[in-house]
């Protein structure tokens, strides 16, 4: 079922003949039943199916690798507005939003133009080479960003980061190839967990180590650090990326089916026999079906789809696959509203109370984001898999609806803090502003449960196992488009609302609430569209025997 409904590679013992497979493995459940029964397996609760054990070591390696991107992306959040103002890129606090939105939006624009190519490249040459190249690029560009004193050097570094980073697509594809429907929610939750951990580590690094000559004068009050006040957090982030790079190069195993076949083609018969024997010792065939995978030998124990399924799908074929337009539209809307919140929350927290913000300092913003990331990590690991297993894709619009409470709550909190504390300098608004900011950031982590749901959506909407990375890349391209538009849109809208006092300064909050409301309405029938797409895919691919035949 996993191969037909989720697009994941169907695991089989490698290089075994058909008669050997019939002897050593139980017969899979055929997919030639009624369309209703086919779709119900992937869109209804999976309580009656025993979860397949996760390949724990490979997931651990992936977690280390996945930490690099969110740290790189979020470590600048606590200080980017301060950086724009202190380095003279913005003439006043009111103009900061325009510049910081430009810096963040250009990352997404570059990612939008390149991520599809990285996904398709990983479908051709393998997952590991693309991951390694992306990590090298991220580490190098972070150092350039930290050293930049000129706005356009900073912009070029962010553009290069976005252009070189296809890591999210590749890791998403690897997780898809390591899991089936019974354990995908738990595995994809780890992807969101690492983003949540990155949202702890990144802002903490950025808030604590930016302007170190002032915040940590005992160690860093030197001319070099005074001249490069934002280098230290970038240097620490680059160190984390080097750790991720070493993990990818030394510990991660290739999961691309065609690459595994090519490797096995060069093995001797004795090596293949030893590999089969070792895999059989770790596979408990009485407890697992074709959808299972041994946790110690996730690559050696898996089989390969026939060569006719190894072809790379064209973008046009993907776009025209059943349900793809609906899935990609929901991906775009989800990313737009969540990215808009992440950006406007930081800008709102930094803005003076008199202008409708919270007047938080860099380190206070970092602590708010770190607290929210800590709570978000618990949500992703302990709560999300249970909820997803029970409700499936029906929870998608419900999670989106959390944002309906967050955007209106922000101006209410600012008014309450101003009414109680009065006008305060940055960092002096008191515990009420910090606790309120933590509460808003926490709600953002609850809304972030939509991200692993989107990973699962992209996996299941995939029209064929060989199109996993290409579909993930299409989703990442759509998401990058939203990430390119949202920062500039929401930052500029916030600045205009404050500067021109539009709707009393509340235009940003009113408009974003209406946009979220429309997004929730559009996603209301996503589960039905996914069920229809899976039904068509199952009918086209036939049953497991047809997919895995010679």
């Amino acid at each position: 079922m996993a191969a037909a409904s989720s697009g994941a590679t169907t695991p089989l013992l490698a290089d075994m003949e058909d008669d050997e497979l019939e002897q050593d493995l139980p017969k899979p459940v055929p997919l030639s039943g009624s369309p209703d029964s086919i779709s119900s397996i992937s869109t209804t609760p999976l309580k009656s199916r025993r979860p397949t054990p996760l390949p724990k070591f490979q997931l651990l390696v992936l977690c280390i690798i996945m930490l690099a991107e969110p740290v790189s992306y979020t470590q600048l959040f606590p200080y980017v507005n301060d950086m724009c103002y202190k380095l003279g890129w913005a003439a006043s606090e009111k103009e900061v939003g325009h510049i910081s939105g430009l810096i963040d939006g250009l990352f997404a624009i570059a990612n939008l133009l390149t991520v599809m190519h990285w996904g398709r490249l990983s479908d051709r040459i393998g997952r590991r080479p693309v991951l390694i190249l992306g990590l090298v690029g991220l580490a190098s560009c972070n150092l350039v960003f930290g050293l930049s004193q000129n706005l356009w050097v900073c912009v070029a570094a962010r553009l290069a980061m976005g252009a070189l980073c296809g890591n999210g697509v590749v890791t998403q594809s690897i997780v898809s190839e390591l899991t089936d429907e019974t354990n995908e929610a738990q595995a994809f939750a780890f992807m969101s967990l690492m983003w949540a951990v990155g949202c702890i580590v990144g802002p903490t690094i950025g808030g604590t180590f930016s302007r170190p000559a002032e915040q940590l004068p005992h160690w860093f009050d030197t001319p070099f650090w005074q001249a490069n006040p934002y280098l230290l957090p970038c240097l620490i982030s680059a160190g984390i990326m080097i750790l991720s790079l070493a993990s990818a190069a030394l510990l991660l195993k290739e999961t691309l089916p065609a690459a595994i076949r090519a490797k096995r083609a060069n093995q001797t018969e004795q090596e293949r026999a030893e590999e089969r024997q070792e895999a059989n010792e770790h596979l408990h065939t009485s407890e697992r079906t074709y959808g299972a995978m041994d946790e110690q030998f996730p690559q050696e124990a898996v089989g390969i789809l026939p060569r006719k399924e190894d072809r790379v799908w064209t973008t046009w074929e993907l776009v025209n696959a059943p349900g793809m337009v609906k899935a990609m539209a929901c991906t775009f809307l989800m990313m737009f509203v969540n990215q808009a919140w992440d950006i406007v929350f930081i800008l709102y927290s930094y803005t003076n109370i008199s202008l409708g913000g919270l007047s938080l300092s860099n380190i206070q913003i970092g602590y708010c984001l770190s607290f929210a990331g800590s709570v978000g990590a618990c949500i992703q690991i302990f709560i999300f898999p249970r909820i997803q297993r029970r409700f499936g894709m029906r929870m998608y619009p419900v999670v989106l609806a959390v944002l309906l409470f967050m955007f209106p709550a922000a101006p209410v909190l600012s008014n309450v803090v101003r009414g109680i504390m009065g006008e305060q300098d940055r960092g002096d608004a008191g515990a009420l502003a910090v606790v309120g900011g933590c509460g808003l950031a926490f709600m953002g982590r609850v809304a972030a449960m939509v991200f692993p749901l989107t990973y699962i959506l992209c996996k299941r909407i995939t029209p064929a196992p060989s199109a996993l990375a290409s579909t993930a890349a299409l989703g990442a391209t759509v998401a990058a488009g939203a990430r390119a538009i949202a920062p500039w849109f929401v930052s500029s809208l916030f600045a205009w609302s404050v500067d021109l006092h539009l709707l009393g300064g509340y235009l940003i909050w009113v408009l974003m609430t209406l946009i979220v409301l429309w997004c929730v309405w559009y996603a209301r029938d996503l589960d039905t569209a996914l069920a229809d797409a899976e039904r068509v895919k199952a009918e086209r691919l036939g049953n497991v025997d047809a997919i895995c035949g010679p």
Side-chain angles (χ1 to χ4, degrees), residues 316-374:
W316 181 252
E317 288 177 313
L318 288 177
V319 171
N320 285 278
M324 189 65 70
V325 172
K326 180 78 173 183
M328 293 300 106
C330 287
T331 299
F332 178 89
L333 296 173
M334 173 280 300
M335 181 57 73
F336 181 87
V337 293
N338 276 276
Q339 184 74 5
W341 169 257
D342 288 342
I343 296 300
V344 80
F345 171 75
I346 297 165
L347 186 56
Y348 156 81
S349 300
Y350 175 82
T351 300
N352 195 279
I353 291 179
S354 63
L355 299 175
L358 291 179
S359 290
L360 298 183
S361 65
N362 290 352
I363 196 166
Q364 287 173 331
I365 295 173
Y367 289 156
C368 285
L369 296 175
S370 299
F371 164 78
S374 301

Side-chain angles (χ1 to χ4, degrees), residues 460-477:
R460 294 187 181 178
I461 206 69
T462 302
S466 60
L468 266 174
S470 295
T471 305
L474 181 61
T477 300

